[in-house]
């Protein structure tokens, strides 16, 4: 067995760079499990990464490495060309047939990476996910697949920049990762907006036609003088309890029930989407053209990744399952209070056709040539913030027993990991052995009472000089994440993503608190500066954690209790003493219960900046009452989402967006200025 | 030399099917150039097409043929794998580097396919384009590439259905052709809407900030205390005539000129786009959220293919040229009347990055295994309605001397072919040898005074029974198209797309009139029912036309005359006696002239259903006065477009859209119900 190198040789002096930099600590704290010394070596299929100091910009590092042809990556995974489609030289869609072929094979280990409650700067969760996999694959000779979310293109041109990891732990080509990729988000935009157009068009046509005229248009007489129902119409008929098979058999009452959806415009929750940061579309009035005859309506756009269709993509398990989920998405109610679905509008099949390629995950690679599956990227507050089930399932078969699938969950354990366990694992039937919690000294100091951290402003002195007591005070946040995750029955490994300003005493404090709080292990990592080599200890700890699992997976709540009981179970895990419901929330809970949707899991829409609903409450607040102001449903995706506070679902552009830097070198064709 | 088979053997009885069916005429009229008899045989690289009668549905035919792996098609073209990227098994992007490598090679023949003034049912122009190429490639042993426009996805789910040709003359896989393809239209949507978001966000930020604050945000001080301009900022500085290179050197007056675009909201012509038929977005008010502080604005969405960026893609000649065109797109004016460009907003580079893959055409195949390049699909009224210059240029090199590139132009010669000659060929420097004019007996009867033809309603008796005098009367329309196209110096071949109801006397009348009007040849074709075999005579005629070209290409107008003189030259070609300008049109012409844009070619935005501005005027109207109600510019794409009548740039959905039929077979993964 390969174990840790206690004194990882850093070939270069500690660099100063952004945002994660190698530690100034010269000697790493010894880890309890390190009983032998070993010098990690690159595996045969991986590449030598020549790191530079200071760490260059992300795009410069990404452009400095020539990616392997993606068929090489597929070959390393023993993936037959029958089971993938190339999209250029560096991307391939892995077909669901790959899973079918391997379905009898035993799964590999399943590792989820989450974080503590973050600062607005992010604590390097994607970077750690990638770095860990580079260590496992390129240094520890393990079969490994990284499963990541596809980022929204909007922020790439707005404030945030790209999301492919950072420094020497990145997915490449990073421009392709951050831009169109293989078109999945574009497919979501197209299908989301086809459904939106179908809603308004249907209301428009219903407004001017009698039941009979409507029916005659929906079921026209063909050249042979006959009329028939289409497949999707039979779905509506079944829902209405009408078992007749010929349009001519319907009574006038049945004709009315079938043809007139009678959508209540006030009830429509389906919005249009666009993968662009366009704040002026947040609230708008449509239908103002004279041809729309005054049927104006107030609505708005969300960013595409906030579409329920993205959540469907992330939670679906097969093409057939996706067809069902897309068809049962609820867009609002009839005036009589019945839920109206995409299939009621006749469009569930077309939505699936638009999504038929998007269901296949995209294979890419890390800087060190390990495989990555990129798939789905639902919002982590109004949705469940995890990459797709199908990617994880395929990956677990591809790595096989003894291999590792490392998947990322958005934000802290209260957000991404909780939903990973209670929603994603519930639908997938998969169980993780290990959860990695990414922490930074910076964020812990903030939780200990340090000054506010604001993106774009210089860090306060407290964050760049030693202050062990501030770190210790902040560890209450880390401890709560550890204990919350342990409750699911998985082993928790803390990964401390080091910065050059962190000191040995500070790092030791984090380790001690982690172990005291019940972590299986706590490891210092420098993968931003050193790639996989900087995360070898983490890889070893994760392997041990996976091998030493003793408990079954335990969910936080069963599905067969009431919506309120489920909300309260989650609130309690945050530290809340109770839950307060607005009248609107009460009304919605009653409606969803009446409509038969109370057995769905709950997806809390809450700030990621605190365990509570109040972003300013750092550390581990307790005794607060969680206010639920509204409750909505993503019925097709398969969850109810209570809104705790106001979540923006459409970002805006600042005065000087990222795009000012972004251009193309028209000679080489390379993208410049992506960050 | 291979020549025509006078009596093309039809192995099956004449079928009855939609929309184009094999002729009832048992004996074809003999063609003047058919001096030898030959039995066409399939070339080695092509497939045997087993035709059935009645002709099955388009999707059934498309699904019945297993496409060749696209690398086979590439190999037939001697295209090195270095010069294309696979997108799945049946699509590949042919890289612009393919042209660079072959640039010293002589071009093949260049054939443009247009039509007569159509009925709303369409006269089979795409089908004829594909059928002609199947004949040239699969039966006449010629190197051939078909260049087609990518269809909008909106109509696929709305009324029209797909656009891959029809019957046994189709591009396959037809579902991929009609859906996302390789994402080019999605890239256009994304870049168009990033620019739109940038406009509103900039106005929003300018409204609340002083010149200095704005400048400080645009050129922030970095960690070293320095500030600098980005590349795109230097473009704006050059436009303003400021040659300073450091932000610190600018005077307060220069700071103001640089940082404050001062866009006049009333002048904004840039709209958002979506590739969905969503009529409720035609006119709307945005910015109604409280965070947008009352900065509401009336605007709307067009369908994506109406974006200027689509026109740029179609007219660009290189990555560098595309960067320039995208940056110089004008979105409106400053309050002082200066044109404001994408580069003024800092976003020209980012738009190019979003379009960097879209610039490469997509390789597909016909049912008979001949290569197709699909690329760009600009609107044929507010834009120029032709596929891309880069696809045609690459194709002409790939086929080489003696080979054929057949490219399609939208609608009649007054629309697509006129713009092909005066805009597309002007920018490409290419010259066609032959123009094919597709005619149907049905459309000619309409021009001769037959009753109105309305989509979705049964055809009048006049169209399904012999009426030679009606056909003869309608040939004035065909004659005018022939003479208009001949004026460019190309040979005109008339392709009569036969229907089962056409009679020999009717077809003879069309041929006689065509020859009298100066056509090089006129050929009866049955490629819908028989594939390439049904268009062999057409292929032979086209080859002769290309070989017998005697004149240089002549444009309809030079560029260095005034906007009005150019409009009047085009109006005259329609048969107009003069042009009438609204006050708005006069104002715009004056503005564009002042802004230095009067040297651009003209792209008339006119109904496709008449030579005149009045869709009800069939045949060859003359003596009318053409009313120009407004004049707009696609400055980046490179044309001025006068609006003659009202053009809808966003279709709607009917009560029963096509999507009611469309679904996926979740077992086979095949799309069903596409038409």
């Amino acid at each position: 067995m390969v174990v840790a190198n206690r004194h990882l040789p850093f070939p270069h002096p500690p660099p100063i760079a952004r945002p994660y930099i190698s530690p100034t600590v010269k000697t790493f704290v010894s880890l309890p499990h390190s009983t032998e010394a070993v010098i990690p070596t690159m595996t045969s299929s991986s590449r030598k990464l020549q790191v530079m100091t200071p760490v260059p910009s992300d795009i410069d590092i990404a452009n400095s490495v020539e990616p392997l042809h993606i068929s090489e990556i597929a070959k390393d995974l023993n993936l037959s060309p029958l089971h993938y489609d190339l999209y250029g030289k560096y991307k391939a869609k892995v077909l669901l047939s790959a899973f079918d072929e391997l379905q009898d094979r035993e799964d590999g280990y399943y590792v989820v990476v989450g974080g503590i409650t973050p600062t607005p700067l992010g604590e390097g969760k994607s970077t750690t996910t990638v770095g860990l996999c580079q260590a496992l694959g390129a240094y520890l000779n393990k079969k490994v697949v990284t499963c990541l979310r596809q980022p929204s293109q909007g922020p790439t041109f707005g404030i945030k920049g790209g999301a492919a990891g950072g420094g020497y732990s990145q997915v490449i080509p990073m421009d392709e990762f951050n831009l169109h990729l293989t078109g999945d988000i574009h497919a979501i935009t197209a299908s989301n907006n086809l459904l939106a157009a179908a809603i308004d068009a249907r209301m428009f046509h219903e407004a001017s036609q009698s039941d009979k005229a409507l029916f005659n248009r929906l079921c026209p007489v063909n050249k042979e003088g006959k009329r028939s129902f289409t497949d999707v119409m039979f779905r509506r008929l079944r829902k209405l309890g009408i078992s007749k098979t010929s349009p001519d058999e319907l009574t006038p009452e049945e004709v009315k029930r079938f043809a007139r959806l009678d959508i209540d415009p006030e009830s429509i929750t389906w919005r249009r989407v666009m993968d662009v940061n366009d704040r002026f579309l947040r609230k708008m009035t449509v239908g103002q053209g004279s041809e729309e005859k005054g049927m104006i309506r107030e609505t708005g756009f969300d960013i595409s990744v906030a579409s329920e269709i993205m959540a469907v993509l992330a939670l679906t398990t097969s093409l057939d399952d996706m067809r069902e989920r897309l068809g049962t998405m609820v867009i609002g109610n009839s005036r009589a209070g019945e839920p109206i679905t995409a299939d009621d509008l006749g469009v569930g099949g077309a939505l699936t056709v638009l999504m038929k390629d998007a269901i296949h995950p995209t294979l890419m690679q890390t800087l060190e040539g390990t495989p990555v599956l990129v798939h789905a990227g639902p919002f982590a507050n109004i949705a469940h913030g995890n990459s797709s089930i199908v990617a994880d399932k395929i990956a677990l078969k591809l790595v096989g027993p003894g291999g590792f699938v490392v998947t990322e969950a958005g934000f802290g354990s209260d957000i991404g990991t909780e939903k990973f366990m209670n929603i994603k694992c519930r639908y997938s039937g998969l169980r993780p052995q290990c959860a990695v919690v990414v922490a930074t000294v910076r964020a812990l100091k903030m939780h200990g009472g340090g000054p506010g951290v604001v993106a774009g402003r210089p860090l306060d002195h407290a964050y760049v000089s030693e202050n062990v007591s501030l770190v210790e005070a902040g560890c209450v946040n880390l401890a709560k994440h550890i204990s919350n995750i342990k409750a699911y029955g998985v082993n928790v490994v803390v990964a401390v993503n080091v910065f050059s300003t962190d000191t040995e005493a500070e790092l030791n404090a984090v380790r001690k608190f982690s172990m005291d709080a019940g972590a299986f292990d706590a490891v210092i990592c420098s993968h931003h500066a050193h790639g996989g080599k900087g995360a070898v200890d983490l890889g070893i700890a994760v392997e041990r954690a996976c091998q030493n699992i003793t408990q079954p997976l335990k969910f936080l709540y069963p599905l067969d209790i009431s919506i309120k009981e489920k909300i309260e179970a989650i609130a309690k895990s945050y530290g809340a003493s109770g839950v307060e419901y607005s009248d609107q929330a009460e009304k919605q809970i009653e409606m969803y219960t009446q409509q038969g949707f109370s057995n769905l899991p709950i997806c809390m829409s809450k700030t990621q900046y605190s365990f509570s609903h109040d972003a300013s409450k750092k550390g581990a607040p307790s005794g607060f009452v969680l206010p639920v102001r509204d409750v909505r449903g993503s019925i097709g995706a398969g969850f109810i989402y209570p809104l705790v506070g106001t979540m923006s679902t459409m970002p805006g552009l600042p005065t000087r967006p990222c795009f000012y830097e972004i251009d193309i070198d028209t000679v080489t064709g390379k993208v410049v200025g992506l960050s």
Side-chain angles (χ1 to χ4, degrees), chain A residues 225-415:
Chain A
K226 288 182 181 162
R227 49 166 98 221
S228 58
F229 292 121
T230 65
D231 285 354
V232 74
M233 290 176 177
F234 281 112
R235 291 175 184 251
R236 176 159 175 78
L237 290 166
R238 276 198 296 277
K239 174 178 163 182
L240 296 174
I242 301 171
S243 58
K244 298 174 181 175
T245 55
S246 162
D248 297 321
E249 296 167 13
L250 265 54
T251 66
E253 177 58 24
E254 286 169 336
V255 161
K256 182 188 177 126
R257 287 177 63 214
F258 172 79
R260 190 166 295 281
L261 302 183
D262 199 29
I263 297 167
D264 174 4
E266 296 296 315
S267 76
I268 299 172
T269 49
W270 198 263
R271 291 157 59 90
R272 291 170 177 84
V273 300
M274 189 185 278
D275 196 21
V276 176
N277 289 11
D278 193 348
R279 57 187 294 163
F280 277 75
L281 298 182
R282 285 171 185 160
K283 201 168 181 183
M284 60 177 198
T285 300
V286 300
Q288 294 178 327
S290 59
E291 291 168 311
E292 281 61 65
K293 299 176 187 167
M295 288 188 65
I296 60 168
R297 190 166 75 82
E298 201 175 77
T299 181
F301 276 70
D302 296 328
I303 195 157
S304 297
V305 292
S307 169
E308 180 174 347
I309 297 180
M310 177 59 98
V312 167
L313 180 67
L315 289 173
T316 194
T317 50
S318 69
L319 188 58
D320 196 53
D321 174 78
M322 184 167 77
R323 171 67 188 87
E324 294 307 313
R325 286 179 192 262
L326 292 175
T328 52
M329 293 187 305
V330 172
I331 60 91
N333 300 321
S334 70
R335 286 181 214 266
E338 290 296 314
I340 301 295
T341 65
D343 275 340
D344 288 330
L345 286 154
V347 74
L351 301 184
T352 314
V353 166
L354 282 167
M355 291 292 294
K356 79 181 172 66
D357 300 322
I359 200 174
H360 308 296
T362 299
L363 182 65
M364 294 188 75
Q365 64 191 290
T366 66
L367 281 169
E368 296 186 279
T370 65
V372 178
L373 282 180
V374 187
H375 204 212
F379 249 46
N381 41 45
I382 66 158
H384 67 291
N386 278 265
S387 65
S388 85
I389 286 176
V390 295
D392 289 4
K393 290 189 96 159
I394 293 172
L396 285 163
K397 294 298 178 201
L398 287 173
V399 299
F404 291 83
V405 171
V406 182
T407 192
E408 189 191 346
F411 301 128
S413 75
D414 49 326
I415 308 279

Side-chain angles (χ1 to χ4, degrees), chain A residues 110-121:
Chain A
Y110 194 31
V111 179
V112 60
V113 178
I116 61 168
T117 304
T119 70
L121 307 179

Side-chain angles (χ1 to χ4, degrees), chain A residues 44-111:
Chain A
S44 60
S45 64
S46 60
R47 275 162 300 184
K48 292 270 177 236
L49 202 52
Q50 296 296 333
V51 302
M52 285 170 64
T53 53
V55 181
S57 74
D58 289 352
I59 184 83
D60 285 345
I61 292 178
N63 281 341
S64 72
V65 174
E66 183 64 30
L68 297 170
H69 196 283
I70 199 70
S71 59
E72 294 293 316
I73 305 289
K75 203 173 151 194
D76 273 1
L77 284 169
N78 294 319
L79 189 60
S80 149
L82 286 175
H83 297 311
Y84 66 87
D85 279 340
L86 292 174
Y87 276 64
K89 297 172 179 67
Y90 308 120
K91 295 174 295 185
K93 276 209 173 272
V94 179
L95 307 178
L96 299 196
S97 59
F99 178 83
D100 300 336
E101 179 161 303
L102 296 169
Q103 57 184 316
D104 297 329
R105 190 181 195 192
E106 203 183 311
D107 284 353
Y109 292 121
Y110 194 31
V111 179

